Amino acid sequence: MRLRDRFSNFLYRQAEKRGWLDDYKRSIRYGGRYVNDENILESSDVYELLQDISNQMMLAEIVVVDESGNEMKNDPAIRIMSNPNNYLTQSEYIKLMTNTYLLQGEVYPVLDSNQLHLAANVYTELDDRLIEHYKIGGIEIPSFMIRHIKNIGTNHLKGVGILELGKSTLEGVMSAEKVLTDKYSKGGLLAYLLKLDAHINPQNAAQSKLIKAVLDQLEAIDESRSVKMIPLGKGYSIDTMKSAIEDEKILAYLNVYKKDLGKFLGINVDTYIALTKSDLEKAMMYLHNKAVKPIMKNFEDHLSLLFFGKNSGKRIKFKINVLDFVTYSTKTNIGYNIVRTGITSPDNVADMLGFPKQNTPETQAIYISNDLSKIGEKKATDDSLKGGDDNDKEKGNEDV
């Protein structure tokens, strides 16, 4: 590991001298996307699904384990992951990485000395030896500093995200939502139609004056409680013009196609919503097994290679406490079951309660408290129950 670190630091110093790190850091700093037709986060339903998935990832504990699965508490990778850089916390970094992965289908974590970043505008290609090369602004980044995490589809070089998978569905949903939002933010697009029996004549001063007066009156209505009296001459009438936007049809469209977007995130929205209403723990476990676990495994593989290389037995692991998804009453039941099992562990108690004996040295000994401190062998305990020494026996006989 020390040799690899020295080599990495050497290449890092050479890169600094050549100046390409400035381009790379500039790409990270200004790597944001402009809000345009891909601004899916404006859709509240999709945003909620993304939040549910990325929040589970954010709440996971990140640890380092050795080849035997034992946690390594003081590994440098833990310190870097807990404080990845100067502008993101660990929680923000994991959440951003997850959302980018889901939306764009790929994300690029970069290990820059003792800081971890997410690079943007990265160009990748395979050479003749099938080695992937990474470039930012035409400058190549050493492969040991960066990983290409892909939401893999059928392309070995590029991941697929919801922005690509659900593009046509997204465009329809976003447009429908915008139409409804604009309609009600602008007062329902209420319009009026002035009907005339005669043709409108621009040269008719009286007619023009009447039309202008009607328009002025209508435009002056600034709230729903306002009432305007508009006197009209013979042959004139004002009717409300029905809005071309039909709410029911748009809502029916959204009810169908919004659910389709969940499939691109790996879950069935109908199933998920039904579970959230009936059993929140089951809903969280459904989300965890269907969407979160595959992401965790992919992140673990790439981050382990980024930090330790392919010849190391150490791995980055995401640990999620499943008990976080259960209610307090369920945790109480779990505790009750553990205590009940503990009560029946000693053979003499198991026999007394009608459970089968385990006949092991541990179950034949007597323990006290939950730290299982042995207070005596079964034989010694049996002897003490028989009365101890001879004086006690004689005293016992006298009492009888």
Side-chain angles (χ1 to χ4, degrees), residues 56 262 266-273 275-276 279-294 325:
Q56 277 203 26
I267 63 172
N268 185 296
V269 175
D270 284 331
T271 302
Y272 183 56
I273 292 175
L275 286 173
T276 55
D279 193 323
L280 187 57
E281 303 97 61
K282 287 183 179 179
M284 292 298 101
M285 288 306 301
Y286 172 81
L287 187 72
H288 179 73
N289 291 321
K290 288 282 288 179
V292 177
K293 281 183 75 172
F325 306 145

Side-chain angles (χ1 to χ4, degrees), residues 38-44 46-47 50 103 162-163 170 174:
E38 294 180 338
N39 56 352
I40 186 177
L41 294 183
E42 288 185 0
S43 177
S44 58
V46 181
Y47 178 76
L50 285 171
L103 289 175
I162 188 173
L163 291 177
L170 269 175
M174 299 288 285

Side-chain angles (χ1 to χ4, degrees), residues 53 99 110 229 253-254 271 288 323 379:
I53 294 172
N99 285 336
V110 177
M229 297 283 295
Y253 172 88
L254 291 174
T271 302
H288 179 73
L323 291 179
K379 183 177 179 182

Side-chain angles (χ1 to χ4, degrees), residues 57 125 347:
M57 292 293 298
E125 62 180 359
D347 279 347

Side-chain angles (χ1 to χ4, degrees), residues 199-261:
H199 293 291
I200 296 178
N201 185 354
Q203 303 300 322
N204 189 328
Q207 190 181 66
S208 298
K209 187 175 181 181
L210 175 62
I211 292 174
K212 185 178 184 304
V214 170
L215 289 175
D216 290 342
Q217 289 275 54
L218 293 176
E219 289 174 359
I221 300 176
D222 55 358
E223 56 180 81
S224 59
R225 293 174 297 174
S226 298
V227 177
K228 296 291 182 179
M229 297 283 295
I230 304 177
L232 297 174
K234 185 178 179 181
Y236 295 87
S237 65
I238 297 178
D239 291 339
T240 303
M241 187 170 69
K242 183 181 178 183
S243 171
I245 300 173
E246 300 183 23
D247 296 357
E248 291 184 2
K249 289 184 178 180
I250 293 180
L251 290 173
Y253 172 88
L254 291 174
N255 286 335
V256 172
Y257 288 101
K258 266 197 175 184
K259 295 173 183 177
D260 279 353
L261 295 175

